[in-house]
Amino acid sequence: MTSPRERLNSILQTLPEGVRLVAVSKYHPIEMIQDAYDGGQRIFGESHVQELVQKYEALPKDIEWHFIGHLQTNKVKYIAPFIDLIHAVDSEHLLKEIDKQAKKCGRVIPVLMQVHVAKEETKFGFLPDELLAYMQSGAWRQYENVSINGLMCMATNTDDEAQIAREFEQARELFEAIQNVLTETSGTDKAIAQWETRSWGMSDDYPIAIRHGSNMVRIGSLIFGERVYG
Ligand SMILES: *Cc1c(COP(=O)(O)O)cnc(C)c1O
């Protein structure tokens, strides 16, 4: 049996420079996270608020915590004081709440906008055209305590690699289209400089994701093993 830290290191060796690894530790115990931490990993991703808060309290304070799942607006307040990146903003309503809670904490919280590219109805997120129009509208500029740093998406859970590649490619095209919009509409302001993160790729599809524009992969089971739910 290899340890999380060993599996993590062998994945890190395969990542091109500039691709960051989020170790997705949801449902896995503190000891496994500590092992990965001791091996040098600092970015961890969780998708349940209560579990994240408990782990945040128990583990070293220089961990960079990412919230990667669907976030309910009424739970933003519990993570606002410490969260380093919220990956999956899927509505303006959520963006507004993150801004409000960030303001209360005297922080600016970095976020990614979730785009729906998968052929599955259950996955959250903005449709590509809808998100492009929203970014074009500039309505997000009123939220001064969030920093919109890029896009996040999930591909369809399928063995069809060509389909997965097309979905990631769609996200990459949208990323670039929004970058153009920001360049045209915001002159030299910080919104362009912050627009840099492309969060796609999980255990089963991260090599495809990297070939199609990802610079942040979210890997769980390959590092920590299968999750035990409940
Ligand atoms: C659980 C999860 C992951 C990691 O999935 P693995 O298949 O275990 O690598 C990545 N992203 C999101 C949004 C998740 O919920």
Side-chain angles (χ1 to χ4, degrees):
M1 264 295 276
T2 53
S3 65
R5 141 177 22 182
E6 288 164 324
R7 290 191 290 261
L8 209 138
N9 281 332
S10 48
I11 295 167
L12 281 174
Q13 282 164 15
T14 70
L15 297 184
E17 202 169 316
V19 177
R20 279 174 293 165
L21 170 61
V22 181
V24 176
S25 48
K26 64 188 184 194
Y27 296 103
H28 292 293
I30 304 265
E31 300 73 53
M32 286 186 123
I33 303 175
Q34 184 72 49
D35 184 73
Y37 177 90
D38 292 340
Q41 178 68 19
R42 288 294 177 274
I43 310 178
F44 292 90
E46 291 280 337
S47 58
H48 295 274
V49 167
Q50 199 186 354
E51 184 182 349
L52 170 56
V53 170
Q54 284 168 358
K55 287 173 172 174
Y56 166 73
E57 286 169 357
L59 282 155
K61 289 296 168 289
D62 64 339
I63 286 180
E64 192 181 305
W65 288 106
H66 291 196
F67 195 87
I68 60 168
H70 175 63
L71 180 57
Q72 288 171 270
T73 45
N74 62 354
K75 295 195 173 160
V76 174
K77 57 178 177 285
Y78 301 114
I79 62 170
F82 67 89
I83 197 73
D84 291 294
L85 182 63
I86 296 175
H87 280 237
V89 173
D90 55 8
S91 68
E92 181 173 22
H93 184 57
L94 177 59
L95 191 66
K96 183 176 177 179
E97 178 65 14
I98 296 169
D99 179 65
K100 180 177 153 193
Q101 297 300 333
K103 195 165 289 165
K104 281 191 190 167
C105 302
R107 303 186 63 210
V108 172
I109 298 182
V111 305
L112 306 177
M113 305 301 269
Q114 181 174 10
V115 57
H116 179 108
V117 288
K119 305 279 169 294
E120 288 167 8
E121 289 184 3
T122 54
K123 290 192 175 148
F124 293 99
F126 291 89
L127 295 174
D129 287 348
E130 187 189 17
L131 185 56
L132 183 61
Y134 182 66
M135 295 307 291
Q136 235 153 4
S137 79
W140 46 275
R141 290 182 183 278
Q142 65 190 291
Y143 305 122
E144 294 180 346
N145 289 71
V146 294
S147 151
I148 302 182
N149 289 9
L151 286 185
M152 177 270 198
C153 76
M154 291 168 87
T156 304
N157 185 5
T158 171
D159 291 332
D160 183 348
E161 296 203 355
Q163 183 180 345
I164 295 171
R166 274 196 305 276
E167 292 172 359
F168 288 145
E169 204 51 47
Q170 222 189 327
R172 186 204 331 235
E173 282 165 18
L174 178 64
F175 182 91
E176 285 166 6
I178 292 175
Q179 189 158 40
N180 290 338
V181 164
L182 293 176
T183 308
E184 284 160 15
T185 58
S186 44
T188 57
D189 83 4
K190 60 185 192 303
I192 307 164
Q194 290 162 344
W195 185 254
E196 60 173 15
T197 303
R198 298 176 296 276
S199 168
W200 47 88
M202 320 197 331
S203 290
D204 287 340
D205 59 17
Y206 81 91
I208 308 174
I210 289 170
R211 288 198 294 276
H212 296 277
S214 168
N215 61 8
M216 183 177 279
V217 291
R218 310 176 307 264
I219 300 182
S221 33
L222 264 191
I223 299 169
F224 296 108
E226 291 303 316
R227 289 179 283 273
V228 181
Y229 295 95

